[in-house]
Amino acid sequence: MDKSWMYADRRSREYEVGVEGFLKFAMENSRNVNLIHCPCIKCGNILQYGIAVIRDHMYINGVDTSYQSWIWHGEPYVSVANANEPFPRTNEQGYVSETVDMEDTDFGDSLNDPYEFLNVLGDGDK
């Protein structure tokens, strides 16, 4: 589904057609047409309302343009991870040390000594 309307001026015909298309899509895929997640900037898909309120919010507040995969409105979730890329290697404790250029020795004896762990946390604050 084309989502370029989300970036259009809210007073434009393109935005109006996009909002109506989105609302139709949301109603067709909703379990409860009386309460649908509101994709406006202020609600951020957390609050739920009826279609009329959502329509108003989309015009008054604007739509959250970062909401590209409409998982709250019926689009299937697609993972952004690349299946061809290998997982990063981990050390014995399960830490991904090479991604942050750290070694096990950087943690000291924090895995066995709670006071050493507090020292590591203090070092992190510095």
Side-chain angles (χ1 to χ4, degrees):
M1 176 176 247
D2 179 29
K3 297 174 182 156
S4 61
W5 64 270
M6 295 169 67
Y7 301 95
D9 186 308
R10 287 184 252 166
R11 298 168 292 181
S12 70
R13 177 79 177 134
E14 178 185 6
Y15 191 83
E16 179 183 351
V17 170
V19 167
E20 294 308 315
F22 170 82
L23 294 174
K24 181 179 182 222
F25 179 83
M27 286 190 306
E28 289 172 353
N29 293 289
S30 177
R31 292 182 209 162
N32 178 0
V33 294
N34 296 319
L35 287 176
I36 296 175
H37 292 271
C38 182
C40 83
I41 291 172
K42 289 187 178 179
C43 294
N45 287 307
I46 295 174
L47 301 176
Q48 296 179 329
Y49 299 104
I51 291 297
V53 172
I54 293 173
R55 180 181 290 114
D56 289 346
H57 280 206
M58 291 176 80
Y59 282 104
I60 295 167
N61 303 327
V63 67
D64 179 3
T65 56
S66 69
Y67 184 47
Q68 291 295 313
S69 181
W70 295 345
I71 59 170
W72 296 109
H73 298 92
E75 273 190 351
Y77 174 76
V78 179
S79 175
V80 293
N82 186 348
N84 295 326
E85 290 182 17
F87 286 104
R89 290 179 297 180
T90 60
N91 59 21
E92 298 84 33
Q93 287 81 26
Y95 297 115
V96 183
S97 58
E98 63 191 6
T99 60
V100 290
D101 295 328
M102 294 181 73
E103 297 296 326
D104 288 338
T105 57
D106 293 337
F107 294 107
D109 194 29
S110 63
L111 299 175
N112 299 319
D113 183 0
Y115 296 106
E116 183 63 29
F117 178 72
L118 291 174
N119 289 335
V120 170
L121 288 179
D123 290 344
D125 288 339
K126 293 176 187 173

